[in-house]
Every structure is written in C-alpha cells, then in structure tokens.
Amino acid sequence: MRSALARRDHRTRTLGPLKTKHSRRTLSLPKIAVEALRIHREQLGAIPHGDRLVILSPEGTPIRASNLRRRSFASVLEKAKLMDKGLRIHDFRHTHATLLADEGAPLTAIQQRLGHSSLATTTVKVYAHSTDRRAKEAADLVDQALSTT
C-alpha cells in the first residue's frame, strides 16, 4: 500500500499519503485471504480502476465508509450472528492482533503487521490483550519451573 483513502469532504474521497513511515509495509496474507480476494476480484469483473482497490462501489469507485458499514459489514455480522454485539470494523484489527498473540506470534511481528512505530506504547498496551488460555499456559510454565519431580 502506497497511499491511503482519505475523505476531503462529505462526498469526495481521494488517495493521499500514508499517516506514518511505518504505515508503508508489505504483509503476508494467509492462503484463505488470498483466495477470498481472488474470488472477489473475479466477481468485480472488468470494473476499471487504476489503483486496483478491492472494495469498490457498484460504479467502481472507492466505497463510502458508511455504505461499507451499513451494507456489507452489517450483513456479515448478521450471518455470523454477531449483529447485537456492537462490533465495528476496527474491532477486527484488535481481534487479529489478539489472535496472533494468543497463538504465540512474536510481538515484533504483530507490531510490523499493524504498522506501529512503538512496540511498548502501542502494540503491547492496546492490542496484545491477555487471554485466558495464555494466562493458564503461563501458570503451567511456573508450575513446571518450580516442580521438584
């Protein structure tokens, strides 16, 4: 990603500079995401858009955030039976980071994926939420370390 979609006014959206130098990064995607994006791209057909955006309006222009939330995201939440949870699209960024931490991904790798400039002040404090499973694993490690057998 070399640019970010920014809103100039209520109706106009343009591609502009990224927020920080850490925003420019290359991400490895899981195969399931690559396949889903490939299928989505095929469904778009021959809609011309030089910037190769993936999420577009029916006219092939960048989609308005309110339309994305109201039309696409709401139906995804409904299908997943999560509609009443008050979830926002940004919450999935938190979930992604928490799942990575829960699976043992290095915090520096999570920091890079999220584009944070500071591991300590942003990634750890905001995203790497402790989970019950990790807390139990930590207690089990202490048991193992202190075991006399």
Side-chain angles (χ1 to χ4, degrees), residues 14-83:
T14 60
L15 291 174
L18 298 172
K19 256 175 31 176
T20 70
K21 67 178 182 176
H22 296 282
S23 296
R24 185 174 185 160
R25 59 200 183 274
T26 300
L27 297 175
S28 297
L29 293 176
K31 291 175 187 172
I32 192 169
V34 171
E35 182 61 14
L37 288 169
R38 186 189 65 73
I39 291 168
H40 177 70
R41 195 68 162 157
E42 285 176 4
Q43 289 172 345
L44 289 176
I47 295 174
H49 201 281
D51 299 310
R52 308 228 351 117
L53 297 176
V54 176
I55 303 194
L56 303 168
S57 72
E59 296 80 31
T61 58
I63 194 167
R64 292 177 60 183
S66 60
N67 286 342
L68 179 65
R69 283 189 303 273
R70 200 173 41 249
R71 295 176 187 162
S72 304
F73 189 62
S75 70
V76 168
L77 290 178
E78 196 170 309
K79 286 177 188 173
K81 297 183 179 22
L82 295 172
M83 194 62 158

Side-chain angles (χ1 to χ4, degrees), residues 95-106:
T95 301
H96 176 70
T98 301
L99 290 172
L100 286 172
D102 194 42
E103 292 301 319

Side-chain angles (χ1 to χ4, degrees), residues 103-125:
E103 292 301 319
L107 288 177
T108 52
I110 298 170
Q111 172 194 9
Q112 188 274 333
R113 286 187 76 78
L114 299 176
H116 291 157
S117 58
S118 169
L119 178 65
T121 60
T122 308
T123 309
V124 174
K125 283 185 179 179

